[in-house]
Amino acid sequence: MAPTDLPGWAAALRDRYLSGEASLFLVHGNVRDLQPWHGDDGRVEYVDLRTFLERFLARTRDVVVYYNVSQGLCPLDKEHERRLRASVDARRMLDGGERLGPLPRGISETLAVVESLVTDPTRASGVVLDFFEMIAPHADPAFMTGEDKANLVTMRRWSSDPALLATDNLVLLVTESLSDVARSVLASPQLVTVRVPYPEEADRVAFLAAELTPEIPVAMAQPALAKVTAGLTCVQIRSLIQMARQTGTAIDFRSVAERKKVIIEQECHGLVEFVAPRHDLSHVGGMDEVKADLRRVADAVKAGARNRVPMGMIFVGPMGTGKTFVAEAFSAESGLTCLQFKNFRDKWVGSTEANLEKVLELVEALGYVLLIIDEAERALSSGDNDGGVGSRVIARLKEFMSDTSHRGRVVMLMMTNRPDKLDADLKRPGRFDLKIPFFFPETADERVRILRALVRKNDIPLADDADLDAVADATQGYSGAELEAVLLSAAATAALDGTEAVTDDDLTQARTDVIPSRDVRMLGYMEMLAVFECSARRMLPARYRDLDTHQVLERLDALKAQLGRRALT
């Protein structure tokens, strides 16, 4: 197999081995996907990673063995088993031991056999240890059994064993997530990690060319299908093709989008949720300066002007000011795929980091994604006694957001009403370039525009006498959410009266019945935090534009003193 016939990750692994950099490699990432194998006859076959690695190693290795804790030690064929036994038995005879009996299944016994093989200088062997996280899991040593500790020490010895490094033997460790593997193994300077990525567009084009046959109905050209399947693995794309073959239903943009949503949400085990916006910025009432800034970003995304797209944005302001609604509207306006983080935290050691890594890998594979983290101050904090999970999560997000290759392709959007609880370094320019403040509507005119937008959003029929101006005049200090509550209450009253359209009497009753939030001190504190975080004066209400940083801090300190302990929770 020529170097150009290898996937990029396999070519990198081969080059680093041939250069003498290491004999121990940890292969991670999209390891449960199909890989292209170029046969000697020139045909391309898509096979699972085990088959790919066995064929890859068999070309230059005289002994190839595979192991996982379920199947035990599996040589490639009878001849490879004979050579394995000859190598291990020769070592045991020198040590006065017995010949190798049935091939082992247990981890400790298997590692002992593999060590005898890979330290044999007369052999050129290749060993694949799959599901490596089951062999050297990330766990607290205090809770490990004696056998687990012994296995971990064995793996650490291998990484620095001169006998292994001096041979022509190769050990490949395979796992999906690095965060599932013991930190002490990962820290070894002699261990090289190789990441298997999600298939890129060129890879998907090649896969579709190999898999699609004339009898499979497809309602789009193959290059277009390759574009819309971004973020899917070859296994998942094959399932789409098989479904089309079985049902006779053509593969089109809608069917791919629906299937893609289901597949990715299942793959991420509820870690993310696809958001399908039903409105754009034209449905947002008021907030003219905010909408103007967001339209500029959306236009830059659609034009491919990546240098004009922020790495990230923060929506900050009191609850009920429309942050989520505007985020979804921006997604529709920009054409970015909208994903929202759900609860990615887990009680098991290392699981939270693994979940985050899975989501970030998916986002990177999808490209052109708006990744929303709502209530960021809660999502990114798990308390002081979290074993360092919170700091590791923040550190990984900082690393991801500092990668300038993501600019214009991935926009991180955090929404919070307590930005003071977020890591200060996380919020710096270069990670979050645009901080947009949200406030309660300032004027009756703004409230009228919001009311009209909410009428369209909720499809509320209004009678001819319904006076939204009167509602706006009577709702000074109401948030957008509270204005929506007034409209929905009026609609409910109309329904109880048996009428379809909302009348002025219904609106009058609703605006006197709905009680706005009375926690004015906390709302005032959140509002001043929004002023403090804002990245452009033009987005501030007129009453705040002339305040300097010292004045804002003075107001924040005064409000914090009034709130007492509540400001800290």
Side-chain angles (χ1 to χ4, degrees), residues 24 49 77 160 172 206 319 343 360 375 418 423 468:
L24 195 63
L49 186 68
D77 55 30
S160 58
L172 303 181
M319 52 283 221
N343 184 18
L360 295 182
E375 295 188 359
R418 292 297 303 273
D423 186 286
L468 294 180

Side-chain angles (χ1 to χ4, degrees), residues 22 35 175 236 316 426 476 518 556:
Q35 302 297 328
T175 185
Q236 294 164 344
V316 57
L426 181 67
Q476 172 68 34
R518 291 170 175 166
L556 280 172

Side-chain angles (χ1 to χ4, degrees), residues 182-418:
R183 296 287 181 268
S184 57
V185 174
L186 294 177
S188 168
Q190 300 300 325
L191 176 72
V192 173
T193 59
V194 177
R195 179 174 170 269
V196 181
Y198 276 72
E200 296 182 356
E201 187 174 335
D203 304 319
R204 297 192 299 274
V205 167
F207 180 73
L208 289 168
E211 293 286 315
L212 286 176
T213 53
E215 75 274 8
I216 299 172
V218 181
M220 63 176 74
Q222 284 188 21
L225 182 57
K227 281 184 179 293
V228 300
T229 51
L232 295 183
T233 65
C234 291
V235 170
Q236 294 164 344
I237 296 172
R238 179 176 280 179
S239 74
L240 285 171
I241 294 171
Q242 290 173 342
M243 182 179 295
R245 179 185 288 117
Q246 292 169 0
T247 63
T249 305
I251 302 176
D252 58 13
F253 181 84
R254 182 174 179 180
S255 64
V256 171
E258 289 175 353
R259 185 64 181 153
K260 186 176 176 180
K261 176 180 182 295
V262 172
I263 288 173
I264 291 178
E265 286 184 343
Q266 287 176 342
E267 279 286 309
C268 287
H269 307 292
L271 302 177
V272 295
E273 177 185 5
F274 267 85
V275 178
R278 292 176 292 178
H279 56 274
D280 56 25
L281 291 174
S282 67
H283 293 87
V284 177
M287 299 192 292
D288 295 334
E289 290 294 342
V290 168
K291 289 191 292 186
D293 271 56
L294 291 176
R295 283 197 174 101
R296 280 192 285 271
V297 175
D299 291 343
V301 170
K302 289 185 284 189
R306 295 175 60 177
N307 62 323
R308 291 194 282 117
V309 180
M311 292 289 287
M313 300 188 293
I314 297 181
F315 285 4
V316 57
M319 52 283 221
T321 48
K323 295 186 291 292
T324 302
F325 188 78
V326 173
E328 293 179 10
F330 170 74
S331 171
E333 195 85 18
S334 64
L336 293 170
T337 299
C338 189
L339 293 180
Q340 182 165 344
F341 258 117
K342 299 184 80 173
N343 184 18
F344 63 92
R345 292 189 172 274
D346 206 325
K347 62 181 178 180
W348 305 112
V349 174
S351 292
T352 297
E353 296 95 318
N355 290 343
L356 176 63
E357 199 64 40
K358 192 174 186 70
V359 173
L360 295 182
E361 282 187 6
L362 169 65
V363 167
E364 196 163 15
L366 280 171
Y368 298 97
V369 170
L370 177 69
L371 182 58
I372 297 177
I373 305 179
D374 201 359
E375 295 188 359
E377 76 283 357
R378 297 181 186 275
L380 302 180
S381 173
S382 54
D384 297 329
N385 300 317
D386 66 351
V389 172
S391 61
R392 289 194 293 272
V393 165
I394 293 291
R396 181 64 184 99
L397 282 174
K398 288 178 183 177
E399 179 187 356
F400 184 83
M401 295 190 67
S402 297
D403 186 346
T404 54
S405 68
H406 296 148
R407 186 180 290 277
R409 294 184 66 254
V410 179
V411 179
M412 187 85 73
L413 171 56
M414 288 189 182
M415 297 185 289
T416 179
N417 51 35
R418 292 297 303 273

Side-chain angles (χ1 to χ4, degrees), residues 508-561:
T508 301
Q509 182 177 336
R511 71 173 186 255
T512 56
D513 185 51
V514 172
I515 301 174
S517 175
R518 291 170 175 166
D519 195 356
V520 292
R521 288 179 179 173
M522 181 57 76
L523 291 175
Y525 184 59
M526 292 176 180
E527 192 170 88
M528 287 309 300
L529 286 172
V531 175
F532 181 75
E533 295 290 346
C534 178
S535 58
R537 289 186 184 275
R538 64 178 177 274
M539 290 186 283
L540 293 173
R543 58 195 168 100
Y544 292 132
R545 282 180 193 162
D546 294 330
L547 294 180
D548 59 28
T549 301
H550 179 70
Q551 292 171 313
V552 173
L553 287 172
E554 278 188 340
R555 294 195 185 188
L556 280 172
D557 289 342
L559 288 165
K560 190 182 294 185

